Amino acid sequence: MRIDGQTIIAIVLMALATYATRVGGLWLASRLPLSGRVEAWLGYIPGAILVSLVAPVIVSGGIVEALAALAVVAVALKGGNLLASMLTGVGAVLILRALIG
Amino acid sequence: MPGKPARTRKDAAPFTLKGALRGARMCAPIAASGFAIGLVFGVLARQAGLGAGEAALMSALVFAGAAQFVVMGLWASPVPVATVVLATLIVNLRHLLMGAALAPHFQGLSRLKAYGSAFFMADENWALAMGEFGKGRRDAAFLIGGGLIMCASWTTSTLIGGSLGNAISDPARWGLDFAFTAIFLALLCGMWRGTRDLLPWIVAAAVAVAAERWLPGQWYILLGGLSGSLAGVARRAD
């Protein structure tokens, strides 16, 4: 197996940079006094991040992604579990792309 | 002002093997689709000039798919170390927000447990864990349980992809590019807490779509998350 020194250095520095982002927010926030306002803000983060991950994919994706997203939401709201939702989304995209192109 | 009263938790968050196993079980489907993406990453890394072992080492230590894909676009010989590390940092800045959101649920954990768990915080197991915590299941080991199975799958599949060559070239052909969007959408459905979430979600969506269109890279996740969550608290009357 070929191992290149500079590659290893880059990988280790990438790992350190990533770990810094993973602990940084946790470290800072656990030092903040948990006032109602701060805790409310932290509570809004998960939804806002997930919306940000999903919205551009659906908006810029077109009709296939929009229809597949509707199917996923329908399954999720009917109480389907995560695996069912995921398979619905992947299956819908697969079928719709074959049909619509 | 309606809304959740500020909770003060004097008791430490539980952190049990049972919680970790639950996290691993719930994240298993995600780890499975991550396996397919990891194969693709391995192939790409190989084409970019990394050895299979080097690519797998990156997956194990960095464990951040978006950043790793971005970096493969920048990889060259000799390796542009500063560029690569800076790109990694920027793509992963959203982790700062995610880690902050974990803090109230990690109260009372030892440093080893809290900062050890944080190493394995990825978008998906974090989102699932926040869903769990929101439903009152407080076991904080959920995150690391899910992260371990995802990291194992990600690293193994990178190694296989890097050794295979070009067997899998285009995840879009199999609809796999939509797998994570579907997971995030399904998780979102469970996170709706009522009309108070409407404004922050609309703001997040608008900012993310605009930023994705007009800014380079992955800034849209951080900007959308930040503006949406701030819109949520800003609306609360002083």
Side-chain angles (χ1 to χ4, degrees):
Chain A
M1 206 171 276
R2 185 182 58 85
I3 298 286
D4 169 60
Q6 201 159 21
T7 298
I8 302 301
I9 290 170
I11 290 172
V12 169
L13 290 177
M14 281 173 70
L16 288 175
T18 305
Y19 188 60
T21 64
R22 284 189 166 123
V23 292
L26 177 61
W27 185 84
L28 264 178
S30 57
R31 262 149 200 78
L32 288 176
L34 275 188
S35 68
R37 228 179 153 74
V38 170
E39 193 167 16
W41 172 56
L42 297 178
Y44 280 112
I45 291 176
I49 290 259
L50 287 181
V51 167
S52 306
L53 281 164
V54 162
V57 176
I58 295 170
V59 170
S60 62
I63 188 75
V64 166
E65 279 75 7
L67 288 174
L70 277 178
V72 171
V73 170
V75 171
L77 290 181
K78 284 219 159 187
N81 64 20
L82 213 56
L83 182 61
S85 303
M86 190 186 86
L87 293 177
T88 302
V90 171
V93 161
L94 202 57
I95 293 167
L96 289 169
R97 277 185 191 148
L99 291 178
I100 304 173
Chain B
M1 189 68 216
K4 196 174 65 172
R7 254 185 302 175
T8 45
R9 294 202 192 88
K10 291 190 183 77
D11 47 336
F15 191 95
T16 68
L17 179 63
K18 208 179 144 205
L21 289 175
R22 180 176 165 80
R25 201 172 56 241
M26 301 246 325
C27 289
I30 295 167
S33 35
F35 193 91
I37 312 286
L39 288 174
V40 175
F41 174 73
V43 171
L44 270 179
R46 184 65 178 277
Q47 287 166 358
L50 275 93
E54 293 169 340
L57 184 71
M58 184 187 286
S59 285
L61 293 183
V62 180
F63 181 46
Q68 290 176 238
F69 275 108
V70 167
V71 158
M72 283 310 110
L74 306 167
W75 208 262
S77 183
V79 184
V81 177
T83 309
V84 156
V85 174
L86 189 65
T88 305
L89 190 66
I90 290 172
V91 173
N92 286 327
L93 279 178
R94 68 183 186 285
H95 287 148
L96 290 173
L97 272 185
M98 293 158 53
L102 273 181
H105 307 284
F106 271 21
Q107 261 180 16
L109 288 189
S110 71
R111 275 189 198 156
L112 181 67
K113 284 173 183 166
Y115 296 133
S117 292
F119 181 89
F120 293 99
M121 179 184 77
D123 294 339
E124 296 81 12
N125 61 330
W126 170 82
L128 247 78
M130 295 310 296
E132 288 277 297
F133 300 151
K135 287 177 198 140
R137 294 198 195 93
R138 291 184 50 216
D139 201 314
F142 185 96
L143 185 83
I144 194 170
L148 278 168
I149 190 172
M150 286 166 57
C151 190
S153 161
W154 179 241
T155 304
T156 314
S157 56
T158 300
L159 185 65
I160 295 172
S163 319
L164 273 182
N166 293 321
I168 300 178
S169 52
D170 185 12
R173 234 183 93 200
W174 306 100
L176 283 171
D177 55 322
F178 199 73
F180 292 104
T181 304
I183 287 167
F184 294 142
L185 259 178
L187 287 169
L188 254 182
C189 292
M191 279 187 184
W192 176 255
R193 297 174 298 180
T195 47
R196 68 187 160 126
D197 280 324
L198 187 62
L199 177 72
W201 287 20
I202 289 174
V203 170
V207 171
V209 168
E212 195 262 349
R213 194 152 297 179
W214 288 303
L215 293 180
Q218 318 276 316
W219 286 103
Y220 68 96
I221 307 169
L222 181 70
L223 291 176
L226 201 55
S227 57
S229 56
L230 288 175
V233 269
R235 197 193 34 185
R236 287 159 55 110
D238 278 303

